[in-house]
Amino acid sequence: MTSYTLVERPAVPRRAWLDDLPVLAVAVVWGASYLAAKGITTAHTVVAVLVLRFSLVLPVLAVAGRRRLRALTGRQLRGAGLLGLVLGAIFLLETYGVVHTSATNAGLIISLTMIFTPLAEAAVQRKAPSAAFLGAAAVSVAGVVLLTQQGGFTVPGLGDLLMLAAALVRTLNVLLTARTEAVQGADPLSLTTVQLGGAVLVFAVLAALPGTGGSPWAVALSFGPGQWAGLVFLSVFCTLFAFFVQTWALRRTSPSRVSLLLGTEPLWAAVAGIALGGEHLGAAGLAGAALVLGGTAWGRRAVAG
């Protein structure tokens, strides 16, 4: 017979739980952002919606961090601006992707960034990933295959492929941000503001080109109350609120705890898509979603270990 000694675990301070709640709220709104974007965007309004979404928050960020913005050097501005071009590509791929797939698929497939990033870092450093991480990556990829093949084994849909491309470009953005010397040590708020400014510039140039859909002004005039509510949700909660909560939380708790809480984003994307969007996954899709969630969680633990 095996005997066990029960050890009383210390209670987590109430303040720690209170600090976790805003970060968890960010994960929830990020998860719901795919359904919100899908609800207000069509293939012909993607660029216009992106211009409107970030034009609403960019002035607020610029005013809030105006002193630190003025402190940036020319080299830092150029580095952040170039990163903004990559950020613009990510948002374009994600938004076009969610238009052509379900919000559930979008949130789960983009979570592969958590697998791709350590793999890319290992390749750059010429260091083999651990066996546990490779196992987690295999489980996650198998989940995506099941998730995108619910109607039989066929070529994945356009939206799924665009979300996969967005996950890859997100990985590139992480690597570039970590290795671009010009932005090292730059104030996070200033860096984010310049990056978003670069992304908005990309969207504005595209909006001025023929064949890219309706103009931001025309799309804004066509919006009803529900669409404006969705746009405000994406702008205020998924951008402004999320950035300031992350900055606040990193001063009060550990980066690993923040990362763990934000890592629940794909779970909330699935919950929003199924519960609020009325999306149906089927047996294969549910199995795929479980594998993606389990694989990415396993991968985070393997990296932390």
Side-chain angles (χ1 to χ4, degrees), residues 44-293:
H44 299 291
T45 62
V46 167
V47 175
V49 167
L50 287 172
V51 171
L52 293 171
R53 173 181 174 179
F54 294 107
S55 294
L56 289 177
V57 301
L58 194 57
V60 178
L61 290 173
V63 170
R66 58 189 181 279
R67 293 182 180 177
R68 285 169 286 183
L69 273 173
R70 288 196 294 265
L72 291 178
T73 65
R75 189 163 177 259
Q76 289 173 327
L77 285 169
R78 289 189 296 272
L82 289 174
L83 291 174
L85 302 182
V86 180
L87 187 65
I90 293 170
F91 280 115
L92 284 167
L93 288 168
E94 286 183 358
T95 311
Y96 274 114
V98 79
V99 167
H100 291 95
T101 190
S102 67
T104 304
N105 277 23
L108 290 169
I109 293 173
I110 201 67
S111 70
L112 287 179
T113 303
M114 291 182 278
I115 296 295
F116 291 157
T117 301
L119 287 175
E121 288 178 335
V124 170
Q125 297 171 359
R126 298 182 181 179
K127 180 181 178 181
S130 67
F133 183 81
L134 290 176
V139 169
S140 299
V141 172
V144 169
V145 171
L146 283 175
L147 191 68
T148 60
Q149 303 298 311
Q150 299 175 56
F153 286 91
T154 59
V155 176
L158 174 61
D160 298 327
L161 292 174
L162 288 172
M163 295 308 300
L164 185 61
L168 290 169
V169 180
R170 268 198 189 191
T171 300
L172 175 64
N173 187 53
V174 172
L175 295 180
L176 288 175
T177 302
R179 287 167 173 77
T180 302
E181 293 183 3
V183 300
Q184 301 306 312
D187 172 66
L189 175 59
S190 303
L191 180 61
T192 300
T193 303
V194 176
Q195 282 183 284
L196 285 179
V200 170
L201 180 61
V202 171
F203 306 146
V205 169
L206 289 176
L209 297 177
T212 55
S215 70
W217 179 251
V219 171
L221 290 177
S222 70
F223 274 2
Q227 291 165 310
W228 272 108
L231 183 64
V232 170
F233 173 77
L234 290 171
S235 299
V236 175
F237 291 96
C238 299
T239 307
L240 275 180
F241 171 74
F243 174 80
F244 285 111
V245 165
Q246 287 181 87
T247 304
W248 169 83
L250 287 171
R251 294 172 181 168
R252 300 170 69 93
T253 186
S254 67
S256 59
R257 193 172 182 86
V258 172
S259 177
L260 179 65
L261 291 166
L262 293 180
T264 62
E265 174 192 344
L267 171 63
W268 301 114
V271 169
I274 295 170
L276 301 178
E279 297 174 353
H280 301 283
L281 289 180
L286 288 172
L291 288 177
V292 171
L293 292 171

Side-chain angles (χ1 to χ4, degrees), residues 24-39:
L24 187 61
V26 170
V28 172
V29 298
W30 276 355
S33 68
Y34 301 100
L35 185 62
K38 189 173 182 66

